[in-house]
Amino acid sequence: KNEVEQSPQNLTAQEGEFITINCSYSVGISALHWLQQHPGGGIVSLFMLSSGKKKHGRLVATINIQEKHSSLHITASHPRDSAVYICAVLVSSGSARQLTFGSGTQLTVLP
Amino acid sequence: DGGITQSPKYLFRKEGQNVTLSCEQNLNHDAMYWYRQDPGQGLRLIYYSQIVNDFQKGDIAEGYSVSREKKESFPLTVTSAQKNPTAFYLCASSTRGLGGSYNSPLHFGNGTRLTVT
């Protein structure tokens, strides 16, 4: 079983719709990252959070440490939001820390 | 503008040949990483370096080698010992390594797609 599970794997929405992407993890973590991978392959860091909620423009990321769950919300979606969204968790093991990545959610926003 | 440059974007090699992927950053970051991405899978860590002249194996280091002679550069060599080298390779950097504060976002390059036939 993967330590990081994302849902859905694929999501198609109409422009303007509200979008939610979910990330569940099975281990204790220090922090969680949300990343955006563009069709060309480059990855951009969207959020890094360890509690509560963060907002940037039309994007909001939330995390519930007790439930081991995070969500990424996109308000008023636009075709330029089409990308793969990746959740990654920072796991501490003794003095070592490691990022474990989900397999991503492919979002397509249609005009 | 600061960032990470990976070159080339596409690389084709014959089986049995070693190939080196370039990664350069001008962000003055201490830590650099190499990840491999395969379809339907999460990124997997190949090697990472938290400081010049030091690097550590990640989860899938077999068949790969790296060097970190300069802070700005972290080249990855895919050797002929790597059984399945065809993949998308991503280089990343952060101000501190993962062993330091967690409050250190990752910056990624645009990747190199390697095809070995």
Side-chain angles (χ1 to χ4, degrees), chain B residues 34-100:
Chain B
W34 273 106
Y35 291 96
R36 171 181 171 137
Q37 187 177 38
D38 294 283
Q41 296 189 38
L43 275 68
R44 292 182 291 168
L45 183 65
I46 305 172
Y47 267 98
Y48 66 99
S49 167
Q50 300 199 51
I51 196 169
V52 175
N53 291 323
D54 184 60
F55 48 83
Q56 307 294 330
K57 292 182 179 180
D59 299 319
I60 54 166
E62 186 175 348
Y64 299 98
S65 66
V66 293
S67 63
R68 186 87 187 274
E69 297 176 1
K70 298 187 299 181
K71 189 175 186 177
E72 305 79 30
S73 179
F74 191 41
L76 173 74
T77 296
V78 184
T79 75
S80 56
Q82 168 50 232
K83 298 289 185 246
N84 186 19
T86 294
F88 188 60
Y89 291 87
L90 283 153
C91 179
S93 71
S94 63
T95 52
R96 296 195 211 180
L98 296 177

Side-chain angles (χ1 to χ4, degrees), chain A residues 3-73:
Chain A
E3 290 182 333
V4 182
E5 297 277 356
Q6 289 187 236
S7 63
Q9 285 187 308
N10 294 283
L11 179 57
T12 300
Q14 289 296 134
E15 184 173 355
E17 286 186 2
F18 180 80
I19 288 164
T20 296
I21 298 170
N22 298 298
C23 176
S24 296
Y25 50 91
S26 57
V27 295
I29 68 169
S30 303
L32 182 143
H33 295 250
W34 279 104
L35 309 169
Q36 180 190 53
Q37 185 169 30
H38 293 287
I43 293 179
V44 174
S45 178
L46 297 175
F47 295 104
M48 185 174 57
L49 65 167
S50 59
S51 65
K53 179 166 77 172
K54 285 194 175 180
K55 183 178 190 295
H56 183 70
R58 295 179 294 107
L59 276 62
V60 174
T62 64
I63 188 168
N64 186 318
I65 295 294
Q66 287 73 30
E67 295 186 4
K68 294 186 169 60
H69 181 268
S70 175
S71 292
L72 177 68
H73 306 285

Side-chain angles (χ1 to χ4, degrees), chain B residues 95-111:
Chain B
T95 52
R96 296 195 211 180
L98 296 177
S101 167
Y102 75 86
N103 192 21
S104 185
L106 284 173
H107 295 254
F108 286 86
N110 287 328

